Amino acid sequence: MSTDTAARNADPAIRPFHVDMADEAIVDLRRRIAAWRPPEREPVDDQSQGVQLATLRDLANYWATEYDWRRCEATLNALPQFTTEIDGLDIQFIHVKSRQSGALPVIVSHGWPGSIIEQLEIIDPLTNPTGHGGSASDAFDVVIPSLPGYGFSGKPAVTGWGPDRIARAWAVLMQRLGYTRYVAQGGDWGTAICAAMARQAPEGLAGIHVNFAQMVPPGVLGHIRNGDPAPADLSDAEKRAYDQVAFATYHRGYGVIQGTRPQTIGYSLADTPVGLAAWLLDHDAITYEHLARLFAGHPYGAITRDGWLDNTSLYWLTNTATSAARLYWQQAVTGQNFYAAADVSLPAAVTVFPDEYVQAPRSWTEKSYHNLIYFNHAERGGHFAAWEQPQLLSEELRAAFRTLR
Amino acid sequence: MPVTTENSAGATAIRPFTIPEVPEAELKALRERIAATRWPSRELVADRSQGVQLATIQELARYWTTDYSWRKCEAKLNALPQFKTEIDGVDIHFIHVKSPHSDALPLIITHGWPGSIIELLGVIGPLTDPAAHGGSAGDAFDLVLPSLPGFGFSAEPAEVGWDPGRIARAWAELMHRLGYVRYVAQGGDLGAFVCDEMARQAPAGLLGIHLNLLKAALVGPAPAEPTEAERAALAAIAVMQTSGYGYFLEQATRPQTIGYALLDSPVALAAWMLDHDTDSYCKISRAFTGGQPSGNLTRDHVLDNITLYWLTGTGTSAARSYWEGGQAAARAAGQAPAEVTLPVGFTTFPGEIFRAPRSWVEKLYPHVIYFGEADRGGHFAAWEEPQLFSEEIRAGFRPLR
């Protein structure tokens, strides 16, 4: 179906949404976890062969016996949720309006292996800043959609749903919500969506904030593609980013598998919850260490065992891990490196979190985001910035967007 | 160093082995798991470019639960002389078939991933009894078919370090224990890496090797004016490096992560194993959906292999072989490997990941005594074309008798 046809036939209604998974689905999940057939323990004492058996056992035991999905449902259903059809796809989103007048609307995009669960704890600090050490003038209206193929949004039945198409859908969404001036925020895939929105420059979009910068200069990309060592004329910070990007592009197994064979891994992700849980844990080395410790009883900022399992259960119960993986394939077929400079001229703000798997150097970031209105190194936090450090990220957004109000 | 145990004399002896009859309850549980498979949505493309196609794997699952029988495979294996012996701390399973002909040349063939000894059953007859299979008695072999550590009925190593070099040493020890003072070795896929190491170690008794996969895709810089064969090989390798190396990378870096699915979901395991390379995927897919198997790569044989991985729970340990290979390659980087002076035979099969040009084989192995170019068969050459494969092996090793 062409976009024109989809646009003509689309139902612009915004319908209330609430989550209500069938009992049988939850019983089935627990049954599958209980019937888990574990492999032998890894012959190493660290994560060098992947997710460790002890960690997954702790996760599986908790998931099958103590974890309660209905609590997550209640949390979600206490929030205003909606769906609307855009470009042939049902898009589900949370929409919380601030009580403050003059609130700036922000659309926040999650990534992989995340979901709207990541952003739940920033809703109140953003919409109700005075309740969280901020000022009324920094209030936001918050829109948090599930990406196409993720969570409660529909699964695309055609190829093409990359960041550009998602960005166009987000602009339609904000327009449909009646917003004439708004901003966009994201990390992981969310950063690509924000960059695409900025390049498309839909009416109303005033600027973007990203907690992951896409910033590798065009002249450097070729070296990465060739597998060259970092060029000698790069600064130390640039060399570090170069190595991190090269690794992330070519040496992460899940990235390459999802980028080339999402359907093949998809059978694992749809049929075994413990297999799915392991796959989602293994995003990057630093995050894995924190999550492994989380299941050994240590805190990970505001991320809890229940919260992580809310996210994992969401992938499982909606059976969206395969459709989610296809986003990597969609990016890969363009032949473009995800980390390439975003080439954004709209006002852009960047926060670099210290445990992010690519540390964006300011020098490259300034060349990628031509109108960089804000650049800051947060003092703590990693890849799941909003989830782990909701207060800190909220403060970043307030500071970043203050000049755009 | 071999691990000695109290019962070391017993463990390191050559012990006859029969596969224990798998309890019917276990086979039933497997069928129930397959039947309870929760499927993802269909791929968004009309071809295999997003991976194993839903129609293919669903038809495989249907056949697996309704028409397939493990018992036939069990019986087939147990009709063969099987043994176990503990080498370097790992119990190694192997099939050992002696030729009825005297002066048979002992030959150890090593399978790869996602294969097993199942791949090689069809060559036992042609290699050990050539006269009964269109060949001559003078080309007979005694055949030793081990399961790699962590595969099939061999034990899983509990420690790291079982790289191709260590496996090669274990294989030399195996042939020594069997009393062979002159023998040859053959391998494809991971088996080719093991044979390459055997040739570099040059244990007493090893006369030469034959390979059907070239370990180093290219030795030295790319040729300035590639021949047509070199161009074709480079193009095929580029395809693999762009879209075909996902499984390789995941298993080389995170075998434990993918391993959980490989042990918990039969369909996940089957899909993962089907997607080794496009040629074999398409052939296997056709066997299940179009009804026409390619040579001996029948539905039953494919499921014999997958079921073996499932019943032995070796999906994860088999994946680890890539991790070990990756670690070994990292350790060896920048160092010149030991030269191969032993005779090397090589056969290219048209469906292999890339068709190695003779020029490349000769760069890697100074003493090439045989170079064959088969006109049928792919990555699982022995499995798919046992007769043709056997003829290549006979020709490859004839100069060494």
Side-chain angles (χ1 to χ4, degrees):
Chain A
M1 189 191 263
S2 74
T3 356
D4 287 346
T5 314
R8 280 198 299 277
N9 297 343
D11 174 9
I14 296 173
R15 301 176 296 275
F17 175 84
H18 73 275
V19 187
D20 185 19
M21 293 296 177
D23 283 336
E24 175 47 38
I26 298 166
V27 167
D28 176 68
L29 169 58
R30 289 208 185 107
R31 197 189 307 134
R32 283 173 188 261
I33 300 167
W36 175 38
R37 211 171 158 254
E40 295 296 321
R41 188 191 175 285
E42 63 284 350
V44 293
D45 287 328
D46 53 20
Q47 62 159 298
S48 59
Q49 288 199 2
V51 175
Q52 292 152 289
L53 181 62
T55 297
L56 205 57
R57 268 199 203 283
D58 287 342
L59 182 154
N61 288 340
Y62 186 80
W63 201 9
T65 58
E66 295 181 59
Y67 172 77
D68 179 15
W69 165 257
R70 296 297 181 199
R71 173 201 38 75
C72 177
E73 263 184 14
T75 303
L76 289 170
N77 289 337
L79 293 162
Q81 297 177 84
F82 307 89
T83 57
T84 190
E85 189 193 303
I86 303 176
D87 198 3
L89 214 53
D90 259 348
I91 301 298
Q92 177 263 359
F93 60 99
I94 297 168
H95 182 201
V96 180
K97 288 183 169 150
S98 175
R99 273 198 266 270
Q100 302 292 344
S101 59
L104 179 61
V106 59
I107 179 162
V108 181
S109 299
H110 67 81
W112 186 95
S115 64
I116 57 174
I117 301 290
E118 298 180 59
Q119 280 93 29
L120 298 182
E121 297 303 316
I122 63 172
I123 294 173
D124 212 56
L126 290 177
T127 57
N128 180 25
T130 55
H132 297 267
S135 45
S137 56
D138 282 330
F140 293 88
D141 281 2
V142 174
V143 178
I144 307 174
S146 293
L147 265 55
Y150 289 68
F152 302 108
S153 284
K155 300 178 176 78
V158 295
T159 60
W161 274 97
D164 285 345
R165 192 162 176 176
I166 299 172
R168 278 192 288 276
W170 278 194
V172 169
L173 175 58
M174 294 306 268
Q175 185 193 51
R176 211 172 271 181
L177 292 174
Y179 290 126
T180 56
R181 183 177 174 78
Y182 63 93
V183 292
Q185 199 285 330
D188 197 85
W189 284 106
T191 196
I193 295 166
C194 286
M197 289 181 83
R199 289 189 298 266
Q200 290 162 13
E203 195 164 329
L205 180 65
I208 64 171
H209 172 280
V210 297
N211 52 289
F212 190 107
Q214 296 172 296
M215 41 61 227
V216 180
V220 176
L221 282 173
H223 287 295
I224 293 178
R225 198 177 311 120
N226 291 343
D228 297 338
D233 61 339
L234 300 187
S235 70
D236 286 346
E238 291 165 353
K239 278 192 185 134
R240 181 173 59 162
Y242 179 98
D243 289 342
Q244 290 170 332
V245 168
F247 181 85
T249 306
Y250 295 113
H251 297 283
R252 290 181 317 179
Y254 76 85
V256 175
I257 277 285
Q258 298 196 152
T260 56
R261 304 281 191 250
Q263 194 73 10
T264 301
I265 190 60
Y267 300 107
S268 299
L269 304 178
D271 193 39
T272 154
V274 177
L276 168 70
W279 194 253
L280 302 186
L281 280 172
D282 210 7
H283 178 269
D284 65 271
I286 297 176
T287 303
Y288 171 80
E289 284 304 324
H290 285 294
L291 292 171
R293 287 166 49 81
L294 180 67
F295 282 96
H298 302 279
Y300 182 19
I303 303 178
T304 63
R305 276 186 309 185
D306 282 322
W308 185 261
L309 289 172
D310 289 342
N311 183 59
T312 306
S313 300
L314 178 58
Y315 273 91
W316 175 263
L317 294 169
T318 54
N319 200 3
T320 44
T322 310
S323 46
R326 290 180 190 134
L327 183 51
Y328 286 74
W329 185 93
Q330 195 58 55
Q331 175 77 30
V333 294
T334 67
Q336 291 168 323
N337 189 311
F338 178 86
Y339 307 95
D343 191 25
V344 163
S345 297
L346 233 59
V350 172
T351 304
V352 179
F353 284 83
D355 278 351
E356 185 60 268
Y357 70 93
V358 176
Q359 291 293 298
R362 180 159 194 160
S363 52
W364 282 357
T365 305
E366 286 172 343
K367 293 197 202 120
S368 168
Y369 302 89
H370 309 298
N371 187 359
L372 189 63
I373 61 171
Y374 178 87
F375 181 90
N376 189 36
H377 283 279
E379 66 183 65
R380 14 170 228 292
H383 182 72
F384 294 103
W387 203 355
E388 186 203 334
Q389 303 290 338
Q391 182 65 23
L392 206 51
L393 181 76
S394 302
E395 288 166 8
E396 287 295 302
L397 299 197
R398 292 172 197 157
F401 288 129
R402 208 163 275 140
T403 59
L404 292 185
R405 289 178 182 272
Chain B
M1 184 152 107
V3 172
T4 53
T5 66
E6 279 183 31
N7 195 26
S8 64
T12 57
I14 309 285
R15 304 159 354 244
F17 175 76
T18 309
I19 297 167
E21 187 185 270
V22 175
E24 190 56 43
E26 217 174 299
L27 298 178
K28 183 161 174 283
L30 168 58
R31 286 195 296 272
E32 282 168 356
R33 244 179 224 255
I34 300 165
T37 297
R38 200 180 70 151
W39 301 98
S41 53
R42 190 189 172 284
E43 64 278 358
L44 305 184
V45 294
D47 54 19
R48 70 83 97 250
S49 62
Q50 286 194 345
V52 174
Q53 292 153 293
L54 185 63
T56 296
I57 195 73
Q58 284 186 330
E59 179 50 34
L60 181 151
R62 186 204 65 75
Y63 187 84
W64 205 0
T65 50
T66 58
D67 297 319
Y68 173 74
S69 164
W70 166 255
R71 297 293 180 211
K72 286 197 209 138
C73 184
E74 220 174 50
K76 199 168 31 171
L77 288 169
N78 283 340
L80 293 164
Q82 299 176 79
F83 306 87
K84 281 194 175 181
T85 186
E86 188 190 286
I87 305 177
D88 198 3
V90 175
D91 224 10
I92 299 297
H93 164 268
F94 63 100
I95 296 170
H96 183 200
V97 180
K98 288 188 169 145
S99 173
H101 300 293
S102 57
D103 291 338
L105 180 59
L107 163 62
I108 180 165
I109 303 183
T110 307
H111 68 84
W113 185 92
S116 65
I117 50 168
I118 301 288
E119 295 179 62
L120 302 166
L121 300 183
V123 304
I124 293 176
L127 288 176
T128 57
D129 192 3
H133 291 88
S136 59
D139 280 329
F141 296 89
D142 278 2
L143 212 50
V144 179
L145 306 177
S147 294
L148 286 163
F151 288 71
F153 295 104
S154 284
E156 284 186 36
E159 53 174 6
V160 297
W162 273 94
D163 57 19
R166 190 164 175 179
I167 298 170
R169 280 190 292 279
W171 279 191
E173 171 63 18
L174 174 58
M175 296 306 266
H176 169 73
R177 276 187 207 175
L178 292 174
Y180 290 128
V181 296
R182 62 194 301 273
Y183 64 94
V184 290
Q186 200 286 331
D189 193 80
L190 182 47
F193 284 67
V194 172
C195 286
D196 174 276
E197 289 296 327
M198 289 182 83
R200 291 178 202 280
Q201 292 164 12
L206 180 65
L207 305 178
I209 64 170
H210 176 279
L211 311 168
N212 51 292
L213 182 75
L214 190 64
K215 161 184 154 157
L218 195 54
V219 178
E225 281 166 16
T227 63
E228 199 176 309
E230 289 170 339
R231 234 195 320 270
L234 288 168
I237 290 167
V239 169
M240 206 243 169
Q241 288 172 339
T242 311
S243 62
Y245 83 109
Y247 75 88
F248 192 111
L249 180 63
E250 179 68 14
Q251 299 197 149
T253 56
R254 313 304 266 181
Q256 194 74 8
T257 300
I258 186 60
Y260 297 108
L262 301 181
L263 256 81
D264 200 36
S265 162
V267 164
L269 172 68
W272 192 252
M273 290 172 68
L274 250 59
D275 209 359
H276 175 272
D277 63 275
T278 295
D279 180 73
S280 61
Y281 167 77
C282 289
K283 285 169 175 168
I284 295 171
S285 177
R286 266 201 310 276
F288 281 100
T289 60
Q292 281 310 305
S294 184
N296 203 33
L297 206 48
T298 63
R299 290 181 294 183
D300 284 319
H301 291 161
V302 168
L303 288 172
D304 286 342
N305 186 50
I306 297 172
T307 306
L308 175 64
Y309 273 77
W310 177 264
L311 294 174
T312 53
T314 45
T316 316
S317 48
R320 275 191 209 119
S321 62
Y322 282 73
W323 188 92
E324 290 289 358
Q327 297 293 304
R331 280 191 295 271
Q335 299 166 44
E339 260 205 327
V340 175
T341 54
L342 285 178
V344 173
F346 196 97
T347 301
T348 71
F349 288 86
E352 183 57 271
I353 297 167
F354 68 98
R355 228 174 144 94
R358 183 169 191 150
S359 54
W360 292 5
V361 178
E362 287 173 343
K363 268 208 205 106
L364 192 60
Y365 303 114
H367 189 184
V368 174
I369 58 166
Y370 177 80
F371 185 82
E373 293 175 280
D375 62 3
R376 290 188 314 283
H379 180 75
F380 298 104
W383 203 3
E384 198 187 333
E385 299 288 343
Q387 183 65 28
L388 182 54
F389 181 85
S390 300
E391 287 164 14
E392 285 297 309
I393 301 311
R394 292 172 196 156
F397 287 129
R398 206 170 282 135
L400 299 181
R401 287 183 183 269

